Amino acid sequence: TEITRSRSPELIEACRRTLERRGDEGTGWSRAWKVNFWARSGDGDRAYRLLCNLLQPAVMPDGRHRGGTYPNLFCAHPPFQIDGNFGGTAGVIEMLVQSELTEGGEAEATLLPALPEAWRAGGELRGVRLRGGYELDMAWRDGRLTLLTVRSLRPDRGRLTLRCAER
């Protein structure tokens, strides 16, 4: 929460350089974290590439094993890494919506902050929980929002500030 593009762009850049040096390989949990980090930095295409790496078949045609996903969709790293599965799912959400609470406790959310080119044509998301007690439905086409519904799950909460990072 301390490193955001709006409040600390210099730290985001430092994180990006560190991620570049570490490379894209790793175990399931490592790849899942990298999906999230690249999405948080706003690089949806890099996050998407890492998500695809996370989902690549762990068993190659010649029978050798590598990082990726088993046919049963468990994240590979014998026997399996559930944090790779959970982290990959979180990474998908992080590419589409990022929410946080300010120091004052107000909720903020950025929509389509790291939309990869592969998903630009269109898609939808329903029932995603945001920090601060909100639930979101949204749809997009050609990289632009076409539907947005936000429900407050806690009417006693303060306001929610929304930003759209449409491309």
Side-chain angles (χ1 to χ4, degrees):
T1 60
E2 295 177 16
I3 301 175
T4 67
R5 286 183 294 177
S6 61
R7 290 194 299 260
S8 51
E10 69 286 350
L11 292 177
I12 287 287
E13 185 54 35
C15 290
R16 289 174 64 89
R17 280 185 269 152
T18 299
L19 287 167
E20 285 287 347
R21 291 182 66 132
R22 290 189 60 91
D24 291 346
E25 292 303 313
T27 60
W29 65 266
S30 174
R31 289 180 185 192
W33 271 106
K34 290 173 186 180
V35 169
N36 283 273
F37 291 151
W38 281 109
R40 183 55 70 144
S41 79
D43 191 335
D45 289 328
R46 184 72 177 262
Y48 178 76
R49 188 168 77 225
L50 280 159
L51 179 65
C52 291
N53 289 347
L54 180 65
L55 295 173
Q56 74 184 352
V59 181
M60 296 184 288
D62 64 6
R64 289 184 298 136
H65 289 248
R66 63 178 173 194
T69 302
Y70 294 123
N72 64 3
L73 295 181
F74 282 172
C75 184
H77 191 78
F80 81 101
Q81 291 185 325
I82 196 67
D83 45 353
N85 288 96
F86 291 156
T89 303
V92 169
I93 300 300
E94 196 72 12
M95 286 187 263
L96 301 175
V97 61
Q98 296 174 6
S99 70
E100 58 190 88
L101 295 175
T102 66
E103 290 180 19
E106 296 292 325
E108 298 181 347
T110 304
L111 310 176
L112 305 178
L115 183 67
E117 188 61 35
W119 297 345
R120 183 175 164 65
E124 67 179 61
L125 193 61
R126 297 200 182 276
V128 172
R129 299 290 177 99
L130 304 178
R131 287 175 179 85
Y134 299 92
E135 186 176 83
L136 170 93
D137 298 338
M138 71 175 184
W140 67 94
R141 180 169 276 313
D142 297 323
R144 302 184 62 80
L145 277 178
T146 58
L147 169 79
L148 177 64
T149 304
V150 179
R151 289 173 292 284
S152 175
L153 303 174
R154 297 173 53 196
D156 61 321
R157 292 294 298 172
R159 66 186 173 125
L160 169 64
T161 301
L162 294 172
R163 284 185 220 85
C164 189
E166 296 180 41
R167 289 174 175 73

PDB file of all heavy atoms in Angstrom, residues 96 112 115-125 138-144 146:
ATOM      1  N   LEU A  96      -7.366  -5.747 -13.761  1.00  0.00           N
ATOM      2  CA  LEU A  96      -8.652  -5.148 -14.131  1.00  0.00           C
ATOM      3  C   LEU A  96      -9.160  -4.093 -13.159  1.00  0.00           C
ATOM      4  O   LEU A  96      -9.863  -3.164 -13.565  1.00  0.00           O
ATOM      5  CB  LEU A  96      -9.695  -6.250 -14.302  1.00  0.00           C
ATOM      6  CG  LEU A  96      -9.349  -7.289 -15.365  1.00  0.00           C
ATOM      7  CD1 LEU A  96     -10.371  -8.401 -15.372  1.00  0.00           C
ATOM      8  CD2 LEU A  96      -9.222  -6.633 -16.726  1.00  0.00           C
ATOM      9  N   LEU A 112      -9.501  -0.812 -14.891  1.00  0.00           N
ATOM     10  CA  LEU A 112      -8.694  -1.154 -16.074  1.00  0.00           C
ATOM     11  C   LEU A 112      -7.276  -0.560 -15.990  1.00  0.00           C
ATOM     12  O   LEU A 112      -6.758  -0.035 -16.970  1.00  0.00           O
ATOM     13  CB  LEU A 112      -9.391  -0.695 -17.357  1.00  0.00           C
ATOM     14  CG  LEU A 112     -10.815  -1.196 -17.554  1.00  0.00           C
ATOM     15  CD1 LEU A 112     -11.419  -0.624 -18.844  1.00  0.00           C
ATOM     16  CD2 LEU A 112     -10.858  -2.714 -17.575  1.00  0.00           C
ATOM     17  N   LEU A 115      -4.874  -3.194 -18.220  1.00  0.00           N
ATOM     18  CA  LEU A 115      -5.596  -4.018 -19.182  1.00  0.00           C
ATOM     19  C   LEU A 115      -4.636  -4.461 -20.288  1.00  0.00           C
ATOM     20  O   LEU A 115      -4.107  -3.631 -21.024  1.00  0.00           O
ATOM     21  CB  LEU A 115      -6.758  -3.228 -19.795  1.00  0.00           C
ATOM     22  CG  LEU A 115      -7.648  -3.976 -20.767  1.00  0.00           C
ATOM     23  CD1 LEU A 115      -8.439  -5.065 -20.041  1.00  0.00           C
ATOM     24  CD2 LEU A 115      -8.598  -3.011 -21.470  1.00  0.00           C
ATOM     25  N   PRO A 116      -4.394  -5.776 -20.408  1.00  0.00           N
ATOM     26  CA  PRO A 116      -3.491  -6.222 -21.467  1.00  0.00           C
ATOM     27  C   PRO A 116      -4.145  -6.097 -22.839  1.00  0.00           C
ATOM     28  O   PRO A 116      -5.371  -6.155 -22.963  1.00  0.00           O
ATOM     29  CB  PRO A 116      -3.219  -7.683 -21.114  1.00  0.00           C
ATOM     30  CG  PRO A 116      -4.317  -8.099 -20.218  1.00  0.00           C
ATOM     31  CD  PRO A 116      -4.866  -6.867 -19.568  1.00  0.00           C
ATOM     32  N   GLU A 117      -3.339  -5.936 -23.827  1.00  0.00           N
ATOM     33  CA  GLU A 117      -3.832  -5.820 -25.204  1.00  0.00           C
ATOM     34  C   GLU A 117      -4.698  -7.027 -25.566  1.00  0.00           C
ATOM     35  O   GLU A 117      -5.699  -6.888 -26.272  1.00  0.00           O
ATOM     36  CB  GLU A 117      -2.665  -5.681 -26.179  1.00  0.00           C
ATOM     37  CG  GLU A 117      -3.064  -5.375 -27.586  1.00  0.00           C
ATOM     38  CD  GLU A 117      -3.819  -4.047 -27.746  1.00  0.00           C
ATOM     39  OE1 GLU A 117      -3.521  -3.072 -27.032  1.00  0.00           O
ATOM     40  OE2 GLU A 117      -4.727  -4.001 -28.617  1.00  0.00           O
ATOM     41  N   ALA A 118      -4.343  -8.203 -25.059  1.00  0.00           N
ATOM     42  CA  ALA A 118      -5.082  -9.432 -25.369  1.00  0.00           C
ATOM     43  C   ALA A 118      -6.529  -9.387 -24.875  1.00  0.00           C
ATOM     44  O   ALA A 118      -7.374 -10.124 -25.383  1.00  0.00           O
ATOM     45  CB  ALA A 118      -4.371 -10.639 -24.768  1.00  0.00           C
ATOM     46  N   TRP A 119      -6.826  -8.555 -23.880  1.00  0.00           N
ATOM     47  CA  TRP A 119      -8.180  -8.451 -23.340  1.00  0.00           C
ATOM     48  C   TRP A 119      -8.866  -7.152 -23.729  1.00  0.00           C
ATOM     49  O   TRP A 119      -9.982  -6.884 -23.313  1.00  0.00           O
ATOM     50  CB  TRP A 119      -8.166  -8.547 -21.816  1.00  0.00           C
ATOM     51  CG  TRP A 119      -7.659  -9.845 -21.271  1.00  0.00           C
ATOM     52  CD1 TRP A 119      -7.486 -11.020 -21.947  1.00  0.00           C
ATOM     53  CD2 TRP A 119      -7.261 -10.086 -19.935  1.00  0.00           C
ATOM     54  NE1 TRP A 119      -7.001 -11.979 -21.098  1.00  0.00           N
ATOM     55  CE2 TRP A 119      -6.855 -11.434 -19.851  1.00  0.00           C
ATOM     56  CE3 TRP A 119      -7.202  -9.309 -18.785  1.00  0.00           C
ATOM     57  CZ2 TRP A 119      -6.397 -12.005 -18.675  1.00  0.00           C
ATOM     58  CZ3 TRP A 119      -6.749  -9.879 -17.611  1.00  0.00           C
ATOM     59  CH2 TRP A 119      -6.356 -11.215 -17.575  1.00  0.00           C
ATOM     60  N   ARG A 120      -8.206  -6.332 -24.505  1.00  0.00           N
ATOM     61  CA  ARG A 120      -8.719  -5.002 -24.848  1.00  0.00           C
ATOM     62  C   ARG A 120     -10.057  -5.062 -25.594  1.00  0.00           C
ATOM     63  O   ARG A 120     -10.925  -4.219 -25.395  1.00  0.00           O
ATOM     64  CB  ARG A 120      -7.681  -4.268 -25.694  1.00  0.00           C
ATOM     65  CG  ARG A 120      -8.059  -2.870 -26.052  1.00  0.00           C
ATOM     66  CD  ARG A 120      -6.913  -2.179 -26.792  1.00  0.00           C
ATOM     67  NE  ARG A 120      -7.315  -0.989 -27.482  1.00  0.00           N
ATOM     68  CZ  ARG A 120      -7.759   0.113 -26.924  1.00  0.00           C
ATOM     69  NH1 ARG A 120      -7.892   0.185 -25.631  1.00  0.00           N
ATOM     70  NH2 ARG A 120      -8.092   1.162 -27.648  1.00  0.00           N
ATOM     71  N   ALA A 121     -10.260  -6.067 -26.431  1.00  0.00           N
ATOM     72  CA  ALA A 121     -11.471  -6.153 -27.246  1.00  0.00           C
ATOM     73  C   ALA A 121     -12.733  -6.144 -26.397  1.00  0.00           C
ATOM     74  O   ALA A 121     -13.734  -5.532 -26.778  1.00  0.00           O
ATOM     75  CB  ALA A 121     -11.434  -7.398 -28.120  1.00  0.00           C
ATOM     76  N   GLY A 122     -12.697  -6.798 -25.253  1.00  0.00           N
ATOM     77  CA  GLY A 122     -13.871  -6.775 -24.395  1.00  0.00           C
ATOM     78  C   GLY A 122     -13.851  -7.836 -23.324  1.00  0.00           C
ATOM     79  O   GLY A 122     -13.121  -8.817 -23.414  1.00  0.00           O
ATOM     80  N   GLY A 123     -14.649  -7.591 -22.305  1.00  0.00           N
ATOM     81  CA  GLY A 123     -14.777  -8.543 -21.211  1.00  0.00           C
ATOM     82  C   GLY A 123     -15.666  -7.973 -20.135  1.00  0.00           C
ATOM     83  O   GLY A 123     -16.167  -6.850 -20.244  1.00  0.00           O
ATOM     84  N   GLU A 124     -15.862  -8.763 -19.101  1.00  0.00           N
ATOM     85  CA  GLU A 124     -16.669  -8.286 -17.983  1.00  0.00           C
ATOM     86  C   GLU A 124     -16.210  -8.946 -16.703  1.00  0.00           C
ATOM     87  O   GLU A 124     -15.573  -9.997 -16.715  1.00  0.00           O
ATOM     88  CB  GLU A 124     -18.151  -8.533 -18.206  1.00  0.00           C
ATOM     89  CG  GLU A 124     -18.570  -9.980 -18.210  1.00  0.00           C
ATOM     90  CD  GLU A 124     -20.068 -10.120 -18.404  1.00  0.00           C
ATOM     91  OE1 GLU A 124     -20.575  -9.675 -19.444  1.00  0.00           O
ATOM     92  OE2 GLU A 124     -20.712 -10.674 -17.498  1.00  0.00           O
ATOM     93  N   LEU A 125     -16.551  -8.309 -15.629  1.00  0.00           N
ATOM     94  CA  LEU A 125     -16.185  -8.736 -14.295  1.00  0.00           C
ATOM     95  C   LEU A 125     -17.386  -8.482 -13.408  1.00  0.00           C
ATOM     96  O   LEU A 125     -17.995  -7.411 -13.492  1.00  0.00           O
ATOM     97  CB  LEU A 125     -15.011  -7.857 -13.865  1.00  0.00           C
ATOM     98  CG  LEU A 125     -14.169  -8.173 -12.671  1.00  0.00           C
ATOM     99  CD1 LEU A 125     -13.490  -9.518 -12.854  1.00  0.00           C
ATOM    100  CD2 LEU A 125     -13.114  -7.098 -12.513  1.00  0.00           C
ATOM    101  N   MET A 138     -18.383  -4.662 -13.812  1.00  0.00           N
ATOM    102  CA  MET A 138     -18.015  -3.773 -14.916  1.00  0.00           C
ATOM    103  C   MET A 138     -17.838  -4.583 -16.186  1.00  0.00           C
ATOM    104  O   MET A 138     -17.633  -5.792 -16.160  1.00  0.00           O
ATOM    105  CB  MET A 138     -16.754  -2.969 -14.605  1.00  0.00           C
ATOM    106  CG  MET A 138     -15.478  -3.728 -14.590  1.00  0.00           C
ATOM    107  SD  MET A 138     -14.079  -2.595 -14.342  1.00  0.00           S
ATOM    108  CE  MET A 138     -12.729  -3.749 -14.476  1.00  0.00           C
ATOM    109  N   ALA A 139     -17.953  -3.877 -17.301  1.00  0.00           N
ATOM    110  CA  ALA A 139     -17.711  -4.476 -18.610  1.00  0.00           C
ATOM    111  C   ALA A 139     -16.979  -3.443 -19.448  1.00  0.00           C
ATOM    112  O   ALA A 139     -17.074  -2.232 -19.198  1.00  0.00           O
ATOM    113  CB  ALA A 139     -19.030  -4.873 -19.276  1.00  0.00           C
ATOM    114  N   TRP A 140     -16.237  -3.910 -20.436  1.00  0.00           N
ATOM    115  CA  TRP A 140     -15.519  -3.006 -21.322  1.00  0.00           C
ATOM    116  C   TRP A 140     -15.519  -3.566 -22.734  1.00  0.00           C
ATOM    117  O   TRP A 140     -15.712  -4.740 -22.965  1.00  0.00           O
ATOM    118  CB  TRP A 140     -14.077  -2.772 -20.823  1.00  0.00           C
ATOM    119  CG  TRP A 140     -13.212  -3.987 -20.893  1.00  0.00           C
ATOM    120  CD1 TRP A 140     -12.376  -4.345 -21.924  1.00  0.00           C
ATOM    121  CD2 TRP A 140     -13.093  -5.010 -19.913  1.00  0.00           C
ATOM    122  NE1 TRP A 140     -11.752  -5.536 -21.631  1.00  0.00           N
ATOM    123  CE2 TRP A 140     -12.169  -5.963 -20.404  1.00  0.00           C
ATOM    124  CE3 TRP A 140     -13.673  -5.235 -18.671  1.00  0.00           C
ATOM    125  CZ2 TRP A 140     -11.822  -7.102 -19.689  1.00  0.00           C
ATOM    126  CZ3 TRP A 140     -13.328  -6.380 -17.959  1.00  0.00           C
ATOM    127  CH2 TRP A 140     -12.410  -7.290 -18.478  1.00  0.00           C
ATOM    128  N   ARG A 141     -15.328  -2.664 -23.670  1.00  0.00           N
ATOM    129  CA  ARG A 141     -15.205  -3.004 -25.082  1.00  0.00           C
ATOM    130  C   ARG A 141     -14.223  -2.010 -25.687  1.00  0.00           C
ATOM    131  O   ARG A 141     -14.281  -0.828 -25.394  1.00  0.00           O
ATOM    132  CB  ARG A 141     -16.554  -2.920 -25.783  1.00  0.00           C
ATOM    133  CG  ARG A 141     -16.456  -3.267 -27.276  1.00  0.00           C
ATOM    134  CD  ARG A 141     -17.766  -3.454 -27.958  1.00  0.00           C
ATOM    135  NE  ARG A 141     -18.421  -4.742 -27.868  1.00  0.00           N
ATOM    136  CZ  ARG A 141     -17.872  -5.953 -28.050  1.00  0.00           C
ATOM    137  NH1 ARG A 141     -16.604  -6.072 -28.251  1.00  0.00           N
ATOM    138  NH2 ARG A 141     -18.602  -7.046 -27.997  1.00  0.00           N
ATOM    139  N   ASP A 142     -13.321  -2.522 -26.498  1.00  0.00           N
ATOM    140  CA  ASP A 142     -12.295  -1.684 -27.134  1.00  0.00           C
ATOM    141  C   ASP A 142     -11.535  -0.845 -26.101  1.00  0.00           C
ATOM    142  O   ASP A 142     -11.200   0.309 -26.343  1.00  0.00           O
ATOM    143  CB  ASP A 142     -12.909  -0.782 -28.202  1.00  0.00           C
ATOM    144  CG  ASP A 142     -13.527  -1.588 -29.334  1.00  0.00           C
ATOM    145  OD1 ASP A 142     -12.948  -2.635 -29.708  1.00  0.00           O
ATOM    146  OD2 ASP A 142     -14.600  -1.192 -29.832  1.00  0.00           O
ATOM    147  N   GLY A 143     -11.294  -1.434 -24.936  1.00  0.00           N
ATOM    148  CA  GLY A 143     -10.504  -0.766 -23.911  1.00  0.00           C
ATOM    149  C   GLY A 143     -11.228   0.317 -23.137  1.00  0.00           C
ATOM    150  O   GLY A 143     -10.619   1.022 -22.350  1.00  0.00           O
ATOM    151  N   ARG A 144     -12.542   0.447 -23.346  1.00  0.00           N
ATOM    152  CA  ARG A 144     -13.313   1.501 -22.674  1.00  0.00           C
ATOM    153  C   ARG A 144     -14.461   0.878 -21.886  1.00  0.00           C
ATOM    154  O   ARG A 144     -15.089  -0.067 -22.345  1.00  0.00           O
ATOM    155  CB  ARG A 144     -13.849   2.490 -23.698  1.00  0.00           C
ATOM    156  CG  ARG A 144     -12.730   3.145 -24.528  1.00  0.00           C
ATOM    157  CD  ARG A 144     -13.259   4.186 -25.470  1.00  0.00           C
ATOM    158  NE  ARG A 144     -13.911   5.277 -24.776  1.00  0.00           N
ATOM    159  CZ  ARG A 144     -13.291   6.301 -24.191  1.00  0.00           C
ATOM    160  NH1 ARG A 144     -11.983   6.365 -24.218  1.00  0.00           N
ATOM    161  NH2 ARG A 144     -13.973   7.267 -23.604  1.00  0.00           N
ATOM    162  N   THR A 146     -17.987   0.082 -20.548  1.00  0.00           N
ATOM    163  CA  THR A 146     -19.335   0.148 -21.111  1.00  0.00           C
ATOM    164  C   THR A 146     -20.400  -0.078 -20.041  1.00  0.00           C
ATOM    165  O   THR A 146     -21.567   0.212 -20.264  1.00  0.00           O
ATOM    166  CB  THR A 146     -19.520  -0.906 -22.224  1.00  0.00           C
ATOM    167  OG1 THR A 146     -19.272  -2.202 -21.675  1.00  0.00           O
ATOM    168  CG2 THR A 146     -18.574  -0.631 -23.390  1.00  0.00           C
TER     169      THR A 146
END
